[in-house]
Amino acid sequence: LADRLPPIAIFHGSADKTVPCGGSQALSDTLVDHGVTNVKFTLYPDWSHTDPILEGLMDADHRFHRDLLLLIQEWTGQDFGVGDNMSSHRQCQRLCPRILIQAARWFMPF
């Protein structure tokens, strides 16, 4: 089975209250225990369920998207020009004051 699976990437935030990160870690560990070698598990410290799609982007934190694009580059052999510093691009700058992002994190139940 392991040789029939495509590369697997599992991303999770350690502060996710919607889907606890332990499940993702357990899935990754189980796959590796069963001989699947093309598994990559990435845990983002203090990220909630919505940080990769909302708060992180608003705060110019593009780690998730950078990591995902780097894996796609690796898997496809194509260079998308993704570097370590995505925030240098104009489109990747902070979108609102940090105090509003912190307030959103405090109110966000996820």
Side-chain angles (χ1 to χ4, degrees):
L1 175 66
D3 59 336
R4 293 182 175 184
L5 293 173
I8 299 170
I10 302 170
F11 302 96
H12 216 114
S14 68
D16 190 336
K17 296 176 186 171
T18 305
V19 180
C21 63
S24 292
Q25 181 68 63
L27 173 61
S28 176
D29 293 344
T30 299
L31 289 167
V32 171
D33 290 347
H34 285 85
V36 180
T37 58
N38 55 351
V39 177
K40 178 166 177 55
F41 176 71
T42 304
L43 184 66
Y44 297 99
D46 302 319
W47 268 26
S48 72
H49 194 74
T50 57
D51 270 286
I53 59 168
L54 186 61
E55 296 96 330
L57 298 176
M58 299 296 276
D59 201 22
D61 187 343
H62 300 280
R63 287 178 285 166
F64 167 72
H65 298 95
R66 181 203 59 221
D67 293 347
L68 181 58
L69 283 171
L70 288 171
L71 282 172
I72 293 170
Q73 280 184 174
E74 179 184 323
W75 297 335
T76 64
Q78 295 180 338
D79 184 3
F80 300 113
V82 178
D84 284 337
N85 188 10
M86 289 180 67
S87 62
S88 64
H89 298 283
R90 182 174 169 266
Q91 299 91 331
C92 295
Q93 299 298 313
R94 181 177 290 121
L95 299 176
C96 66
R98 179 163 278 159
I99 189 89
L100 293 177
I101 299 164
Q102 291 170 335
R105 282 193 174 111
W106 190 79
F107 283 105
M108 185 65 62
F110 306 108

